[in-house]
Amino acid sequence: MSVMIRSILRLLAVALLGVALSAPLTGLMIGTAQARPFPDRIALPNGFQPEGITIGRHATAYLGSLADGDIIAVNLRTGKQRLISEGLGPNFPSLGLKIDNRGRLFVAGGASGTGRVIDVRTGKIIRSYRFATAPTFINDVVLTRRYAWFTDSQQPQLYGVPLGRGGKPGRQADVVTLTLSGEWEQVPGFNANGIAQTPDRKALLVVNSMTGLLFRVDPQTGVATRVDLGDTLLTAGDGLLVRGTTLYAVQNQLEQVAVIKLNAAGTSGQLVDTLTSNDFDIPTTVAAFGNSLYLPNARFATPPTLNTSYWITRIDRR
């Protein structure tokens, strides 16, 4: 083979190798350019007055309205929204929310003393419950293996909706009223607020908004024991979220999220971080998607009107 032919073949091989190496890089650059990041702020309908948030499949968040009880679904990537359940009016607000893996949305009903379960695919109310009469404020809900537990900020009680096979919610007659006892102290104002499970899922965590104390509650007896957080108080504590052994506790009026590392039993914990954002305006509850936390801003210090703006804030989960 001549020297010239060998030179030509060598140049051709180099050229082909360059094409092979550049093709994946070009594709990566195009893919990166086309990728749409999740926005840090998602506008909600004017006048909506959000309070609770939960996140289901396909990056879809569900939020309830304090104004009239409407429930909307929001795509966290695009911000696209749709009404999935029309509320029952101002006397039946929607507060804390939790969705199960079958598309059933459990909703706390505030001063109406009620709760309801909605099919997010159809908007149909599957079950409705009367938990208490005035004074009452059904504030938040958590789903466990056997019950959906609702807090009452005006009464030292939790209400448990039994969950049957496949998580099917039980009847009104089977609702359990669990009186909080032990170290729980009911004081004037809003008491029991956010609720979650302990990391080992054997007990409940409930924050008292007025005292700033966090309690571990035995779901069999209602006995509440103060969680040892050292000198940390969860002043203005609102929504709670547990991921692994990390508790995220929203402190609404302080416009921050306390990050607490718990032991498995939820009997003690240590404050490891405090998350804030310039975009906060009295955030109330929190839900996680991927490495992000999403919080609706209730803007309680701003007089609500039909034109008042509201939004969801995204922050990094740490």
Short mmCIF file of all heavy atoms in Angstrom, two decimals, residues 120-147:
data_model
loop_
_atom_site.label_atom_id
_atom_site.label_comp_id
_atom_site.label_asym_id
_atom_site.label_seq_id
_atom_site.Cartn_x
_atom_site.Cartn_y
_atom_site.Cartn_z
N VAL A 120 -60.04 12.32 42.04
CA VAL A 120 -59.46 13.41 41.25
C VAL A 120 -59.68 13.22 39.75
O VAL A 120 -59.53 14.16 38.97
CB VAL A 120 -57.95 13.59 41.53
CG1 VAL A 120 -57.73 13.96 42.99
CG2 VAL A 120 -57.15 12.35 41.15
N ARG A 121 -60.02 12.02 39.33
CA ARG A 121 -60.27 11.79 37.90
C ARG A 121 -61.63 12.33 37.48
O ARG A 121 -61.79 12.84 36.38
CB ARG A 121 -60.16 10.30 37.59
CG ARG A 121 -58.75 9.73 37.70
CD ARG A 121 -58.73 8.24 37.46
NE ARG A 121 -59.35 7.52 38.57
CZ ARG A 121 -58.67 7.05 39.61
NH1 ARG A 121 -57.37 7.21 39.68
NH2 ARG A 121 -59.29 6.40 40.58
N THR A 122 -62.62 12.21 38.36
CA THR A 122 -63.98 12.61 38.01
C THR A 122 -64.46 13.85 38.75
O THR A 122 -65.42 14.48 38.33
CB THR A 122 -64.96 11.46 38.31
OG1 THR A 122 -64.99 11.24 39.74
CG2 THR A 122 -64.53 10.17 37.61
N GLY A 123 -63.79 14.18 39.86
CA GLY A 123 -64.24 15.29 40.70
C GLY A 123 -65.38 14.91 41.63
O GLY A 123 -65.85 15.73 42.42
N LYS A 124 -65.81 13.67 41.56
CA LYS A 124 -66.93 13.21 42.38
C LYS A 124 -66.52 13.06 43.84
O LYS A 124 -65.43 12.58 44.14
CB LYS A 124 -67.43 11.86 41.84
CG LYS A 124 -68.59 11.27 42.64
CD LYS A 124 -68.99 9.91 42.08
CE LYS A 124 -70.10 9.27 42.92
NZ LYS A 124 -70.47 7.93 42.40
N ILE A 125 -67.42 13.47 44.75
CA ILE A 125 -67.20 13.25 46.18
C ILE A 125 -67.55 11.79 46.49
O ILE A 125 -68.70 11.37 46.34
CB ILE A 125 -68.04 14.21 47.03
CG1 ILE A 125 -67.61 15.66 46.77
CG2 ILE A 125 -67.88 13.88 48.51
CD1 ILE A 125 -68.44 16.69 47.52
N ILE A 126 -66.55 11.03 46.91
CA ILE A 126 -66.74 9.61 47.22
C ILE A 126 -67.38 9.44 48.58
O ILE A 126 -68.31 8.64 48.76
CB ILE A 126 -65.39 8.88 47.18
CG1 ILE A 126 -64.73 9.03 45.82
CG2 ILE A 126 -65.56 7.40 47.53
CD1 ILE A 126 -63.29 8.53 45.79
N ARG A 127 -66.84 10.18 49.57
CA ARG A 127 -67.35 10.14 50.93
C ARG A 127 -67.30 11.53 51.53
O ARG A 127 -66.42 12.33 51.21
CB ARG A 127 -66.50 9.22 51.81
CG ARG A 127 -66.56 7.75 51.48
CD ARG A 127 -67.77 7.09 52.09
NE ARG A 127 -67.69 5.64 52.03
CZ ARG A 127 -68.67 4.82 52.36
NH1 ARG A 127 -69.82 5.32 52.81
NH2 ARG A 127 -68.53 3.51 52.28
N SER A 128 -68.24 11.82 52.42
CA SER A 128 -68.17 13.05 53.20
C SER A 128 -68.45 12.69 54.66
O SER A 128 -69.19 11.74 54.96
CB SER A 128 -69.17 14.09 52.69
OG SER A 128 -70.49 13.59 52.73
N TYR A 129 -67.83 13.46 55.56
CA TYR A 129 -67.90 13.14 56.98
C TYR A 129 -68.19 14.39 57.79
O TYR A 129 -67.69 15.47 57.50
CB TYR A 129 -66.57 12.54 57.47
CG TYR A 129 -66.12 11.32 56.70
CD1 TYR A 129 -65.26 11.44 55.62
CD2 TYR A 129 -66.58 10.06 57.05
CE1 TYR A 129 -64.85 10.32 54.91
CE2 TYR A 129 -66.19 8.93 56.35
CZ TYR A 129 -65.32 9.06 55.27
OH TYR A 129 -64.93 7.96 54.57
N ARG A 130 -68.97 14.20 58.85
CA ARG A 130 -69.17 15.24 59.85
C ARG A 130 -68.40 14.81 61.09
O ARG A 130 -68.74 13.85 61.76
CB ARG A 130 -70.66 15.38 60.18
CG ARG A 130 -70.97 16.21 61.42
CD ARG A 130 -70.64 17.67 61.26
NE ARG A 130 -71.50 18.31 60.29
CZ ARG A 130 -71.42 19.60 59.97
NH1 ARG A 130 -70.53 20.37 60.58
NH2 ARG A 130 -72.22 20.11 59.05
N PHE A 131 -67.31 15.55 61.38
CA PHE A 131 -66.46 15.20 62.51
C PHE A 131 -66.88 15.87 63.81
O PHE A 131 -66.81 15.27 64.88
CB PHE A 131 -65.00 15.57 62.21
CG PHE A 131 -64.38 14.81 61.07
CD1 PHE A 131 -63.72 15.48 60.05
CD2 PHE A 131 -64.45 13.43 61.01
CE1 PHE A 131 -63.14 14.79 59.00
CE2 PHE A 131 -63.87 12.72 59.96
CZ PHE A 131 -63.21 13.40 58.95
N ALA A 132 -67.27 17.14 63.71
CA ALA A 132 -67.54 17.90 64.94
C ALA A 132 -68.42 19.09 64.60
O ALA A 132 -68.60 19.47 63.44
CB ALA A 132 -66.22 18.38 65.56
N THR A 133 -68.99 19.68 65.66
CA THR A 133 -69.75 20.92 65.52
C THR A 133 -68.99 22.03 66.23
O THR A 133 -68.06 21.78 67.00
CB THR A 133 -71.15 20.78 66.12
OG1 THR A 133 -71.04 20.37 67.49
CG2 THR A 133 -71.96 19.73 65.36
N ALA A 134 -69.39 23.28 66.00
CA ALA A 134 -68.68 24.44 66.54
C ALA A 134 -68.57 24.36 68.07
O ALA A 134 -69.50 23.90 68.73
CB ALA A 134 -69.39 25.71 66.12
N PRO A 135 -67.42 24.78 68.60
CA PRO A 135 -66.24 25.31 67.91
C PRO A 135 -65.36 24.18 67.36
O PRO A 135 -65.04 23.22 68.09
CB PRO A 135 -65.50 26.08 69.00
CG PRO A 135 -65.85 25.34 70.26
CD PRO A 135 -67.25 24.84 70.07
N THR A 136 -64.99 24.29 66.11
CA THR A 136 -64.17 23.27 65.46
C THR A 136 -63.43 23.90 64.30
O THR A 136 -63.86 24.92 63.75
CB THR A 136 -65.03 22.09 64.98
OG1 THR A 136 -64.18 21.10 64.40
CG2 THR A 136 -66.03 22.53 63.93
N PHE A 137 -62.30 23.30 63.93
CA PHE A 137 -61.58 23.73 62.73
C PHE A 137 -60.75 22.55 62.25
O PHE A 137 -59.66 22.30 62.77
CB PHE A 137 -60.69 24.95 62.99
CG PHE A 137 -60.26 25.64 61.73
CD1 PHE A 137 -61.05 26.64 61.16
CD2 PHE A 137 -59.08 25.29 61.09
CE1 PHE A 137 -60.66 27.27 59.99
CE2 PHE A 137 -58.67 25.92 59.94
CZ PHE A 137 -59.47 26.92 59.37
N ILE A 138 -61.28 21.81 61.29
CA ILE A 138 -60.60 20.63 60.75
C ILE A 138 -59.50 21.14 59.82
O ILE A 138 -59.78 21.69 58.76
CB ILE A 138 -61.57 19.70 60.01
CG1 ILE A 138 -62.81 19.43 60.87
CG2 ILE A 138 -60.87 18.41 59.63
CD1 ILE A 138 -62.51 18.83 62.22
N ASN A 139 -58.24 20.95 60.24
CA ASN A 139 -57.15 21.72 59.65
C ASN A 139 -56.27 20.94 58.69
O ASN A 139 -55.88 21.44 57.63
CB ASN A 139 -56.29 22.31 60.76
CG ASN A 139 -55.54 23.55 60.33
OD1 ASN A 139 -55.17 23.70 59.17
ND2 ASN A 139 -55.31 24.47 61.25
N ASP A 140 -55.92 19.71 59.04
CA ASP A 140 -54.96 18.98 58.19
C ASP A 140 -55.27 17.49 58.27
O ASP A 140 -56.06 17.04 59.11
CB ASP A 140 -53.53 19.28 58.63
CG ASP A 140 -52.52 19.10 57.51
OD1 ASP A 140 -52.91 18.65 56.41
OD2 ASP A 140 -51.34 19.39 57.72
N VAL A 141 -54.60 16.71 57.41
CA VAL A 141 -54.86 15.28 57.32
C VAL A 141 -53.58 14.56 56.92
O VAL A 141 -52.75 15.10 56.18
CB VAL A 141 -56.00 14.99 56.31
CG1 VAL A 141 -55.66 15.54 54.93
CG2 VAL A 141 -56.32 13.51 56.23
N VAL A 142 -53.42 13.34 57.44
CA VAL A 142 -52.32 12.47 57.02
C VAL A 142 -52.90 11.08 56.77
O VAL A 142 -53.85 10.65 57.46
CB VAL A 142 -51.20 12.41 58.08
CG1 VAL A 142 -51.65 11.72 59.35
CG2 VAL A 142 -49.96 11.72 57.51
N LEU A 143 -52.34 10.38 55.79
CA LEU A 143 -52.78 9.02 55.48
C LEU A 143 -51.80 8.01 56.06
O LEU A 143 -50.59 8.09 55.81
CB LEU A 143 -52.89 8.84 53.96
CG LEU A 143 -53.79 9.82 53.22
CD1 LEU A 143 -53.83 9.48 51.73
CD2 LEU A 143 -55.20 9.83 53.80
N THR A 144 -52.32 7.07 56.84
CA THR A 144 -51.52 5.96 57.34
C THR A 144 -52.06 4.68 56.71
O THR A 144 -52.98 4.71 55.89
CB THR A 144 -51.58 5.89 58.88
OG1 THR A 144 -52.89 5.46 59.28
CG2 THR A 144 -51.26 7.24 59.50
N ARG A 145 -51.50 3.56 57.11
CA ARG A 145 -51.93 2.30 56.48
C ARG A 145 -53.38 1.98 56.82
O ARG A 145 -54.11 1.45 55.97
CB ARG A 145 -51.03 1.15 56.95
CG ARG A 145 -51.27 -0.16 56.22
CD ARG A 145 -50.25 -1.20 56.60
NE ARG A 145 -50.37 -1.59 58.00
CZ ARG A 145 -51.20 -2.55 58.44
NH1 ARG A 145 -51.98 -3.19 57.59
NH2 ARG A 145 -51.23 -2.85 59.72
N ARG A 146 -53.83 2.34 58.02
CA ARG A 146 -55.17 1.95 58.46
C ARG A 146 -56.16 3.10 58.58
O ARG A 146 -57.37 2.86 58.60
CB ARG A 146 -55.08 1.23 59.81
CG ARG A 146 -54.30 -0.08 59.76
CD ARG A 146 -54.29 -0.75 61.11
NE ARG A 146 -55.64 -1.00 61.60
CZ ARG A 146 -55.93 -1.35 62.85
NH1 ARG A 146 -54.97 -1.47 63.75
NH2 ARG A 146 -57.18 -1.56 63.20
N TYR A 147 -55.65 4.34 58.67
CA TYR A 147 -56.55 5.47 58.90
C TYR A 147 -56.10 6.71 58.13
O TYR A 147 -54.91 6.88 57.84
CB TYR A 147 -56.61 5.84 60.39
CG TYR A 147 -57.39 4.88 61.25
CD1 TYR A 147 -56.76 3.80 61.86
CD2 TYR A 147 -58.75 5.06 61.46
CE1 TYR A 147 -57.46 2.92 62.67
CE2 TYR A 147 -59.47 4.18 62.27
CZ TYR A 147 -58.82 3.12 62.86
OH TYR A 147 -59.53 2.24 63.64
#
